Structure formats: structure tokens, C-alpha cells
Amino acid sequence: MQDTPRGARLHIAIFGRRNAGKSSLINALTNQDIALVSDVPGTTTDPVYKAMEILPLGPVVIIDTAGIDDVGDLGALRVERTRQVLNKTDLAVLVIEPETGITAYEHELAADIRKRSIPIVAVAAKSDLVTPGQVTAAGWSAEIGEPVLPVSAKTGQGIEELKRAIIKNAPDNWEGPPVIGDLLNPGDTAVLVVPIDLAAPKGRLILPQVQTIRDILDHDAYSVVVKERELREALANLRGKPRIVVTDSQEFLKAAADTPDDVWLTSFSILFARYKGDLETLVAGAKAIDKLKPGDKVLIAEGCTHHRQADDIGRVKIPRWLRQTAGGELSFEWVSGGDFPRNLNSFNLIVHCGACMLNRREMLHRLSVARESGVPIVNYGVLIAYVHGILPRALAPFPSARLILDE
Amino acid sequence: MQDTPRGARLHIAIFGRRNAGKSSLINALTNQDIALVSDVPGTTTDPVYKAMEILPLGPVVIIDTAGIDDVGDLGALRVERTRQVLNKTDLAVLVIEPETGITAYEHELAADIRKRSIPIVAVAAKSDLVTPGQVTAAGWSAEIGEPVLPVSAKTGQGIEELKRAIIKNAPDNWEGPPVIGDLLNPGDTAVLVVPIDLAAPKGRLILPQVQTIRDILDHDAYSVVVKERELREALANLRGKPRIVVTDSQEFLKAAADTPDDVWLTSFSILFARYKGDLETLVAGAKAIDKLKPGDKVLIAEGCTHHRQADDIGRVKIPRWLRQTAGGELSFEWVSGGDFPRNLNSFNLIVHCGACMLNRREMLHRLSVARESGVPIVNYGVLIAYVHGILPRALAPFPSARLILDE
């Protein structure tokens, strides 16, 4: 059984001072059901992610911020790392150390979290050392502005209450739209064009393809999964027209030639641009490509440090297309992983990857930073569709994004 | 991008005495391309698996047996653990420590490996401490009966030669048949019935489903992926008959009702019984179910320690079906993970899981141990099809297995 992808999990970050009991608390939370937990060590600058299930909420990922402690209690680096975690946090658990109680540190954390409209669940850890009465007596709930749950990682006391509080406080809009299901009626056929190239690992499909097939099943429709070469044949073998054809961006022109004009045709990248972020903002960003002039500055941001191929999309292909459009040399900067500059003012365009390793919250955060800086932002999928002239057709299922394109 | 499943990777085990330089060698091998390497820590009794690519061989998994060293140089436990690794090894790398050279220890290892017809690649590690001339002068190649490659993890010398030797010595039959591709002609349609139950993690398909979709694409055919409820509708929407319908075992009866009699209908479990092992042996094992008598002993073997649900297939459902067939109580024993008893003589039947976490070599080994003991062995998928009376139809695409059933 394969795991739910991290990006599709509610992100719960555990904050608190060093030795507040964060790690024991995470162990108590996740060891409830060891079979459903997996450790995914991040890079050296990343926190550790623990995947687990909290029913009926579903798959979540617990972000262990203990790594931030190693940076020390003060300083710009700690602030920066906390900020990076907050950018992807859907719900924050604030752990209070009972002997220290609530200090300026906890107040600042809570303020930082609230500033981003992230719901907070506050706990007093190591509650085997204090009684619930003491927690109340300490007036922490009033002071921090949240009910403080006494929790003992040691005895397990309060862990179930903590889970219930997480379920109750989880934001209900964290998931965004379905991948494709809202475009389909029950019983509809969706045709998925999946080229098999050398980069596709043996025996696998890439994650967006799997998520799309699954979402179609979840919405009582079904899919025809076909390579570009057999698309025409597969369409001819259907008695009814499919509701939609979704293709890998690389094969858009081939798919367009084989798909009747009155059938929706879009790309996996467009579907995921909407699923992960905000299609309207990205389409507006695409239109800014035409305004690029020689000498302009372009930021290319990737969510992960993947293995680069010879004709890497972010390093080679996109710079080439943009240079051609601008009619001259451009100045490129690249960032990857958790890095995303706070100051974007010097850029004329931001091009972001498909964000398969980021959650929706982090992608929305990056989009809003770009909007606030007044810098247009587009992603790989929307950019590819735009520079190949296929964006108008690919946006047919999404009228509000199409309107922005036509404006 | 998702990784190739471990079971579909060539298994390369690194053997050698403690401090022979195994771990540095593995680092040198895998750090060649850090982006393609992932660490999968095993349980405490398991070795560590490192997934990587060796082109043109494709995805491999390096088995680091360093954990076995912790057991100590002697004793039954060490022998047992080495045996467990050998049972899944497609190719063995034998690491010789240059100062110690070849002793009885290396000779025994080599003999153990050869007994199982596993190809050996021998290396002298830490070759920055010795010269290639010294390796030759030491006569190791003649002594161990294999060319000994001088390799330095430190300088990287010999690492490329080692990869070439691995590619050259890799057995060419390790993969077995395709999942489904040999049953299809180019342009054929395969219909895959994929029920979505509560156990299916959000946003995912289970691995056998993904591998089947991919194998269909790899063979220039295409698939219709549908839930059991929409199967009739999906079939009616096809102009031509599909070549085959593959269903989750749970929905076989429903799928049989909706699939025309002249269309092949089988289950994912049957496909994977053949892909992972030997369908004929398992079908012969299924027939032994009818001979079970009250009091008989049944071994139930699972390849992993998965999260058990209330109506767990191996703990609850299969014992219930077998008791019903036997008309009385049976004596069950369970083993899981790397454990598989060497002495099977006391059992009347072995029931094995689908082996999604085992590689083909290990499953074939288990089948041969059962055959040598004269104990019938069946797996979950074949057993489910048999007790539900659907095995004859499910075997229609596999005439030689069908013959065994009808004998």
C-alpha cells in the first residue's frame, strides 16, 4: 500500500521552546499506531516530517521543528526557519513547558502563528509533572488566549484529547478543489494521455497521474489511460465522447490533433496548478511573459532539488523559451527547496515549478508574496501551455481563468 | 516522481567481514548520484536497503549487510541472517579486506552464494592502501575463483569498473514475466476494476494497480480504470470488446456478472501470483485446500508486518474459510517479514501473502522450500479465487495453470 503524498496531507507543525517536550509529544502522538507512521528525514536545513493518520481527519504530516532548536534560541536563522515552517503550516500545536510557563517566547510564537490565520492548539507537555489543576491555576489558557490541554507523553494522558482538538481546529478549506472531480459527472469518461519516456521510473506512474486516476474514481467516473500514440485509436473505440482529455504537457499538440474540438483538452500541469494554487494568478503571470525585455530579471523557483537531466526544464528549456520571447538575454536566478526570497521587488517575472513537493498552503503563500510585491508569477505547466499557444484551449474547463487570459 | 517499487529492483547484496569496507563501498557506489538514492531503514532485524539506478541495468537495491556484523562473527544468528539475505539476493558483491585477505570466512561465504547459483562480483576494498599489482600478486582471484577488482571508496578508483562488473554479471532472468503485457496485443484494451474502499489511502492507488496500468502502457495497449459500480457502463461504452478485465479479488463475482463470457476475467492477485512467483505451484497448492481435515496444521506467511484491520485477511478471513472447508478446527501458525521456517514438514498447507514487499527471487525460494518439503503452498489471491469458485475463470488466460487445476 502506497502512502498518501505529503502535499495532500494536513500539515501540523509542533512549536515550542527547546526541551518543552515536543519530540516526546510527537512520539506519543505517532506511536499510537506505529504501522501508520513513517519518518521522512528532510535535508539538513529542513525539519523532520512524520506522516500519520488522524481519523476522521485522514492523512496528516507532523512537522517536528526540533531541528530549529539546534540553531539556538536567538538570531535571524531561527526566525527564518520558523518562518519557513509557518509558510506551510495548516495547524500549529504550541507546546508549553510547565516549569517555564508562558514567556515572551511563547507569546511571540503565538502572535506569529495568528498573524497568518493559522489555528493554534496549545498544550502543556510533561503533564505527569503537573496536575490539570495546576495548569488551570497557572492561568495559561487566559494568558495565551487558547485552552491549554494538559498532555503527558509518558502516560499517554491527554493524547486523545489533543487529537480531538486537532480535528476540531483543523481548517476546513486546506485542501482546495479536487484534482479533476468537479469537472466530471458520475459515469463520465476522462481520457488521460500518459507518455512513457526514459525518465519514468520502471513500474511506476508519476504522482499527478496517479492522483488524477484516483480522483476520477472518487467521483464515480472512469478513466482511459493511454499513451499519445494510441490516443486516436482509444478515442475511436469509445461510443460516447469523453468529458475531458488530460495530457502530459509535452504531448499537448499531438493530443490536440487527435481530440475532437468540442471535447475539453487540458494538461496535468493545468489541473495541478489549480489543485495546488490559484490558476487565475498563474494565468495572469503567463501574460507577463510577453512584456519581458532583454536584461529583465527572472526568478526560477523549484520546490525540491531533483535530479537534473541534460535538457532540464527549469535550467535549460524555460530560460531558452523566455529568451526567445524577450528577444535577448535575460538575467536568471534560481532557488530551490524551502528557499523563497522575501524580497521579490527586483524581479520582472517569477516562474515556479509544479510544486509536487509543496503543500497547497505553501504554494498559496508564495503566490501571495508575489502578488504583494507586484511581481507576476507563473508556473511551469501554465508557462509551457502559454509559450506553445495551447493555453486558450487548455483553459476551456476553467472559465474564470480563461477570462483573465482573454482580458 | 515516485520510486520504482523495491520488489521490482535487482537485489544486490554486499557481503564481507566486519570492517572490510562494505559501508564505504556502498556510499561510493550510491553517492555517485545522490539524487537517485534513497535510504530505507529496515526493522531492527533487517538489513538496510539503498535504492539507486545502475544504467543500463535500471533500478537496483543495494542490501547493506553491515547490520549482520553487529550480531558478531560467529554463531547461529549470523548464519540465519546471512541466509535470509541470500534468499532474496540476485547478485552478490563479496568484499575482501586487503590486510586480512581471503580466509575461511570468505571461502564459506563464496560457497554459500554459489550453492544458490547467485553470481558473485569480488572486490578488494580500500585499494588506496594496496596497488592493483598487490591484488594480483596476492593471488586472490585464483583463490576465490572470481576476478577480484581493486576498488577504493576513498578515491573512487574502480567504482565504475565495479558497476560494469555488476551489469555484466547480473542474471538476465531475474524479472520473470511482465505483469500483464504478454497477454495483450498492441492497441488492446484492458479494463481494470479498482474498488475504492476505506483502506485505500487518499490520493493513491495501490502498487499492483499502478504497476498494471504502467505495464499495459509499456506494451502499447491501454486501460480503462473503473470502480466495480461503473464497470457495466464502461464496458457498454466500448465499441470493441476488451482483451481482458482485471479486478480486485473482492469484486470478482460482481465483475463476473458484468463481463461477457467470452472476455478473459482475472484478478490482480492472479496476475501478481505469476509475476512474483510460479502460478502453477500455487494452483496445485489451492487444490490441497480440499484435503484439509480438522486438526491439520496451516502456516500463514506474510512478507511484511502491515497494519491489521478488524477483518484482517490473514488472521481472520482465510482461517475462517479454511475451517469451513475442513469442517472443523485447524491449527494455525503465523510468520511475517523475513521469517520463513526452514522446516515445513509438520504443515499440511502453507498460505502466503501476495508478496508485494518481497522480490521475485525470495518468493521463488519460498516456493521451492515448500516443494522440497512436499508441503502444498498457495497464496492469498489464488486461495480467494479458489474458495469462491472463480479460479477456473480467472485462469483462462493461463492455460498451463488451468491444466493443473483441471487435472
Side-chain angles (χ1 to χ4, degrees):
Chain A
M1 189 74 76
Q2 295 298 291
D3 254 358
T4 300
R6 196 204 290 170
R9 293 170 174 271
L10 181 82
H11 278 45
I12 301 171
I14 314 290
F15 292 102
R17 64 172 59 243
R18 197 195 300 224
N19 296 327
K22 298 192 292 295
S23 296
S24 318
L25 181 70
I26 291 170
N27 285 339
L29 256 178
T30 54
N31 285 343
Q32 297 289 97
D33 196 339
I34 197 74
L36 294 178
V37 178
S38 71
D39 269 31
V40 183
T43 65
T44 46
T45 55
D46 273 351
V48 173
Y49 297 88
K50 295 200 184 220
M52 67 173 290
E53 304 268 330
I54 297 185
L55 295 177
L57 206 56
V60 305
V61 63
I62 308 283
I63 309 180
D64 184 349
T65 64
I68 295 178
D69 292 342
D70 299 336
V71 179
D73 278 342
L74 294 166
L77 189 52
R78 186 180 181 96
V79 170
E80 172 59 19
R81 291 208 184 158
T82 302
R83 192 180 69 82
Q84 284 181 1
V85 171
L86 280 170
N87 289 345
K88 62 182 87 171
T89 299
D90 296 305
L91 181 142
V93 174
L94 176 57
V95 183
I96 298 162
E97 204 280 320
E99 291 194 11
T100 324
I102 297 174
T103 68
Y105 181 87
E106 282 75 19
H107 278 298
E108 266 169 45
L109 260 176
D112 269 356
I113 298 167
R114 287 205 185 92
K115 206 159 58 184
R116 290 152 202 266
S117 313
I118 301 169
I120 301 181
V121 172
V123 303
K126 309 182 191 169
S127 72
D128 47 314
L129 304 179
V130 291
T131 65
Q134 281 178 288
V135 173
T136 318
W140 288 338
S141 295
E143 200 177 338
I144 202 80
E146 308 284 341
V148 176
L149 294 173
V151 163
S152 167
K154 212 176 191 174
T155 67
Q157 181 221 325
I159 295 293
E160 282 310 311
E161 288 78 359
L162 170 56
K163 281 191 189 175
R164 280 200 292 272
I166 288 172
I167 293 163
K168 189 175 151 233
N169 288 281
D172 49 14
N173 63 346
W174 68 277
E175 278 203 276
V179 174
I180 188 173
D182 58 331
L183 306 176
L184 304 172
N185 297 312
D188 273 352
T189 316
V191 176
L192 310 181
V193 183
V194 171
I196 301 297
D197 64 21
L198 289 173
K202 197 179 111 180
R204 296 308 300 259
L205 299 171
I206 60 174
L207 193 51
Q209 294 160 355
V210 172
Q211 287 181 269
T212 306
I213 296 170
R214 172 60 189 266
D215 195 52
I216 291 167
L217 293 171
D218 285 343
H219 288 84
D220 304 328
Y222 61 94
S223 53
V224 173
V225 185
V226 62
K227 290 207 303 288
E228 70 285 2
R229 272 201 346 225
E230 287 79 36
L231 172 61
R232 184 178 289 270
E233 200 173 342
L235 287 171
N237 193 32
L238 291 174
R239 287 187 202 279
K241 278 184 182 164
R243 177 74 172 164
I244 190 169
V245 175
V246 183
T247 181
D248 186 281
S249 299
Q250 289 176 60
E251 298 299 337
F252 202 103
L253 293 177
K254 165 94 177 81
D258 290 341
T259 304
D261 287 336
D262 57 347
V263 171
W264 280 344
L265 171 65
T266 194
S267 67
F268 288 102
S269 306
I270 299 288
L271 290 183
F272 277 79
R274 183 182 72 132
Y275 174 68
K276 281 284 179 174
D278 168 354
L279 191 53
E280 287 76 11
T281 300
L282 298 169
V283 169
K287 290 173 75 179
I289 294 172
D290 292 335
K291 298 186 190 129
L292 283 180
K293 302 177 306 295
D296 276 357
K297 254 184 97 181
V298 178
L299 175 69
I300 298 190
E302 300 196 320
C304 66
T305 50
H306 65 281
H307 178 62
R308 295 191 207 291
Q309 298 180 298
D311 58 345
D312 189 71
I313 184 88
R315 301 270 159 173
V316 181
K317 283 187 180 169
I318 288 177
R320 191 169 57 212
W321 291 325
L322 293 183
R323 269 184 224 113
Q324 282 167 2
T325 311
E329 196 47 70
L330 298 164
S331 155
F332 291 97
E333 267 183 43
W334 287 269
V335 292
S336 67
D339 295 329
F340 192 72
R342 300 176 79 173
N343 191 340
L344 298 168
N345 293 327
S346 64
F347 295 103
N348 301 90
L349 179 69
I350 301 160
V351 184
H352 203 287
C353 74
C356 59
M357 295 305 287
L358 305 181
N359 67 344
R360 180 171 167 82
R361 174 141 194 134
E362 181 156 22
M363 191 60 197
L364 287 177
H365 169 77
R366 292 178 175 200
L367 292 176
S368 80
V369 172
R371 263 195 311 263
E372 280 160 25
S373 312
V375 183
I377 181 166
V378 62
N379 78 352
Y380 286 9
V382 174
L383 179 147
I384 292 167
Y386 188 73
V387 298
H388 289 87
I390 58 189
L391 191 54
R393 182 160 188 190
L395 290 182
F398 311 105
S400 59
R402 177 64 200 261
L403 267 179
I404 287 168
L405 184 68
D406 294 341
E407 260 169 13
Chain B
M1 190 73 77
Q2 295 299 290
D3 253 0
T4 301
R6 195 205 291 171
R9 292 171 175 271
L10 181 82
H11 279 46
I12 301 171
I14 314 290
F15 293 103
R17 65 171 59 245
R18 199 195 298 225
N19 297 328
K22 299 193 291 295
S23 296
S24 319
L25 181 69
I26 291 169
N27 285 340
L29 257 178
T30 54
N31 285 343
Q32 297 287 97
D33 195 339
I34 197 74
L36 294 177
V37 178
S38 70
D39 268 32
V40 182
T43 65
T44 45
T45 56
D46 274 350
V48 173
Y49 298 87
K50 295 198 185 221
M52 67 175 287
E53 304 265 330
I54 298 185
L55 294 175
L57 207 56
V60 305
V61 63
I62 308 283
I63 308 179
D64 184 350
T65 64
I68 295 178
D69 292 342
D70 299 334
V71 180
D73 277 344
L74 294 165
L77 189 53
R78 186 180 182 96
V79 170
E80 173 57 21
R81 292 207 183 158
T82 303
R83 193 180 68 81
Q84 285 180 1
V85 171
L86 281 171
N87 289 345
K88 63 182 87 170
T89 299
D90 296 306
L91 181 143
V93 173
L94 177 56
V95 182
I96 297 162
E97 204 282 318
E99 291 194 10
T100 324
I102 297 173
T103 68
Y105 181 88
E106 282 75 20
H107 277 298
E108 266 168 45
L109 260 176
D112 270 355
I113 297 167
R114 287 205 185 92
K115 208 160 56 185
R116 292 152 201 265
S117 312
I118 300 170
I120 302 181
V121 171
V123 302
K126 309 181 191 172
S127 73
D128 46 314
L129 304 178
V130 292
T131 66
Q134 281 176 290
V135 174
T136 317
W140 288 337
S141 295
E143 201 178 337
I144 201 79
E146 308 285 341
V148 176
L149 295 174
V151 163
S152 166
K154 211 175 191 174
T155 67
Q157 181 220 327
I159 294 294
E160 281 309 311
E161 289 78 0
L162 169 56
K163 282 192 187 173
R164 279 201 292 273
I166 288 172
I167 292 163
K168 189 175 151 230
N169 287 281
D172 48 15
N173 62 346
W174 68 277
E175 278 203 275
V179 174
I180 188 173
D182 57 332
L183 306 175
L184 304 172
N185 297 312
D188 273 352
T189 317
V191 176
L192 309 181
V193 183
V194 172
I196 300 298
D197 64 19
L198 289 173
K202 197 180 112 181
R204 295 308 299 261
L205 301 171
I206 59 175
L207 193 51
Q209 294 160 355
V210 173
Q211 286 181 269
T212 306
I213 296 170
R214 172 61 188 265
D215 196 51
I216 292 166
L217 292 171
D218 284 343
H219 288 84
D220 304 328
Y222 61 95
S223 53
V224 174
V225 184
V226 62
K227 290 208 303 287
E228 70 285 1
R229 273 201 345 226
E230 287 80 36
L231 172 60
R232 184 179 290 268
E233 200 174 342
L235 287 171
N237 193 31
L238 291 174
R239 287 187 202 278
K241 280 186 181 161
R243 176 72 172 166
I244 190 168
V245 175
V246 183
T247 180
D248 187 281
S249 299
Q250 291 175 59
E251 298 299 337
F252 202 102
L253 293 177
K254 165 92 176 84
D258 290 342
T259 304
D261 288 335
D262 58 346
V263 171
W264 280 343
L265 172 65
T266 195
S267 67
F268 289 104
S269 306
I270 300 287
L271 290 183
F272 277 79
R274 182 182 73 132
Y275 175 68
K276 280 285 179 172
D278 168 354
L279 190 54
E280 288 77 11
T281 300
L282 298 169
V283 169
K287 291 173 75 179
I289 294 172
D290 293 334
K291 297 186 189 128
L292 282 181
K293 302 176 307 294
D296 275 359
K297 254 182 96 180
V298 177
L299 175 69
I300 298 189
E302 299 196 320
C304 67
T305 50
H306 64 280
H307 179 60
R308 295 190 208 293
Q309 297 179 297
D311 58 343
D312 190 72
I313 184 90
R315 301 272 157 171
V316 181
K317 284 186 179 169
I318 287 177
R320 189 168 60 212
W321 291 326
L322 294 183
R323 270 185 223 113
Q324 283 168 0
T325 311
E329 197 45 73
L330 297 164
S331 155
F332 290 98
E333 269 183 40
W334 286 268
V335 292
S336 67
D339 296 329
F340 192 71
R342 300 175 78 174
N343 190 340
L344 298 168
N345 292 327
S346 64
F347 295 104
N348 301 91
L349 179 69
I350 301 160
V351 183
H352 203 287
C353 73
C356 59
M357 295 304 288
L358 305 181
N359 68 342
R360 180 172 166 82
R361 174 140 196 135
E362 181 156 24
M363 191 60 197
L364 287 176
H365 170 77
R366 291 179 175 199
L367 292 176
S368 80
V369 172
R371 264 196 310 264
E372 280 161 23
S373 312
V375 183
I377 181 166
V378 63
N379 78 352
Y380 287 7
V382 175
L383 179 147
I384 292 167
Y386 189 72
V387 299
H388 288 88
I390 57 188
L391 192 54
R393 182 160 189 191
L395 290 182
F398 310 105
S400 59
R402 177 65 200 261
L403 266 178
I404 286 168
L405 184 70
D406 293 342
E407 259 170 14

